[in-house]
Amino acid sequence: MSSLIPSSSNLTSRKVAVIGAGAAGLVASRELGREGHEVVVYERNNRVEGTWVYDPNVESDQLGIDPSRSIVHSSLYESLRTNLPREIMGFRDYPFVSVVKNGVKKQRDPRRYPGHKEVLNYLEDFASDFQLTELIRFETEVVHVGLLLEEEEEEEGRKKWLVKSRRKSGRADGENNTSNCSSSVVDEVFDAVVVCSGHFTEPNIAEIPGTFFIFFLLLLYLLLCREI
């Protein structure tokens, strides 16, 4: 598909960073490309759509309180199915239907409420058909985003954004560089930043007054039961 041809020649092209190659990041990068902007997508995993990639591993601290824990970027369980019908999950111009490639229908999950693998396959097809993977810097984590100081701005009157990124393999990532680098963090300046990193990595745990006291009583009760 020639999807990234600018839809208008009257727009000024900007350099835009998109953080995250999930559903929101993929659509954002496609639409920005259609408007003629230069797009760079940062994705810390090695494939698109982090939240729909199933990982059987679990974190050592399942409450997500320990900052030193190894983070497992997955919120799925193996038998998960969608709670919405596929007709309303797809993009308006890219329906979530059975896929036909080169005249051959792919054998996938045909259910109206499919499993999570079918959603992942759909989004991977979307990225492939619109040539979005070539815009993505995989295994690259954004460690800082901030406005540049006025004296550092390249163009007067226009705010610029500084994005610091680091490859997970320990290599710096800049200008799609994949060679070994001595520096671990690379700075890059953008006209705009679109944050599409999701909100499913960190557990949202409510702070309820008296919770600690209840846990203490429960622990005391269990200890007493053991003694009886």
Side-chain angles (χ1 to χ4, degrees):
M1 295 184 181
S2 57
S3 59
L4 298 183
I5 296 177
S7 60
S8 173
S9 59
N10 297 324
L11 296 174
T12 301
S13 178
R14 308 292 190 195
K15 186 176 181 180
V16 184
V18 176
I19 303 175
L26 293 175
V27 171
S29 59
R30 185 191 68 167
E31 294 305 308
L32 288 166
R34 281 178 165 177
E35 296 296 333
H37 301 298
E38 178 186 352
V39 181
V40 175
V41 184
Y42 294 94
E43 172 54 51
R44 66 179 178 181
N45 292 322
N46 60 1
R47 60 191 301 182
V48 301
E49 195 39 59
T51 196
W52 287 102
V53 177
Y54 171 68
D55 189 342
N57 297 312
V58 296
E59 297 181 4
S60 56
D61 177 15
Q62 297 186 27
L63 292 179
I65 298 175
D66 183 5
S68 64
R69 74 190 189 282
S70 58
I71 296 177
V72 178
H73 189 69
S74 177
S75 303
L76 305 178
Y77 49 90
E78 188 174 10
S79 60
L80 177 74
R81 292 176 59 182
T82 66
N83 61 351
L84 296 173
R86 62 197 308 148
E87 294 92 335
I88 65 174
M89 287 191 67
F91 304 125
R92 183 170 57 183
D93 60 347
Y94 195 82
F96 190 6
V97 295
S98 299
V99 178
V100 178
K101 292 287 186 179
N102 299 322
V104 179
K105 185 176 181 180
K106 289 188 176 182
Q107 297 299 319
R108 291 186 178 172
D109 189 344
R111 295 174 295 182
R112 192 181 184 200
Y113 294 82
H116 58 83
K117 291 182 180 179
E118 179 73 358
V119 182
L120 176 61
N121 289 331
Y122 166 75
L123 292 168
E124 288 178 333
D125 287 338
F126 180 85
S128 175
D129 287 346
F130 290 101
Q131 298 94 44
L132 300 176
T133 52
E134 61 193 50
L135 307 176
I136 304 173
R137 298 180 183 175
F138 290 105
E139 294 190 298
T140 303
E141 182 178 20
V142 173
V143 296
H144 172 80
V145 176
L147 278 171
L148 287 175
L149 299 177
E150 291 185 4
E151 57 268 21
E152 296 176 319
E153 294 178 11
E154 295 182 1
E155 298 181 31
E156 185 177 355
R158 183 187 303 168
K159 295 293 184 181
K160 295 283 187 176
W161 292 87
L162 175 65
V163 175
K164 295 177 179 285
S165 65
R166 177 175 56 211
R167 286 189 60 86
K168 292 178 66 176
S169 60
R171 297 174 298 177
D173 190 28
E175 302 301 327
N176 287 324
N177 182 20
T178 57
S179 60
N180 289 326
C181 302
S182 58
S183 175
S184 59
V185 177
V186 166
D187 298 351
E188 199 163 355
V189 177
F190 292 89
D191 296 299
V193 177
V194 182
V195 180
C196 303
S197 56
H199 55 274
F200 294 108
T201 300
E202 297 292 336
N204 188 7
I205 303 174
E207 295 184 4
I208 303 174
T211 302
F212 177 79
F213 181 68
I214 294 174
F215 284 156
F216 174 77
L217 291 178
L218 179 60
L219 179 61
L220 181 61
Y221 172 76
L222 293 175
L223 291 175
L224 291 175
C225 289
R226 181 178 297 181
E227 294 295 331
I228 296 176

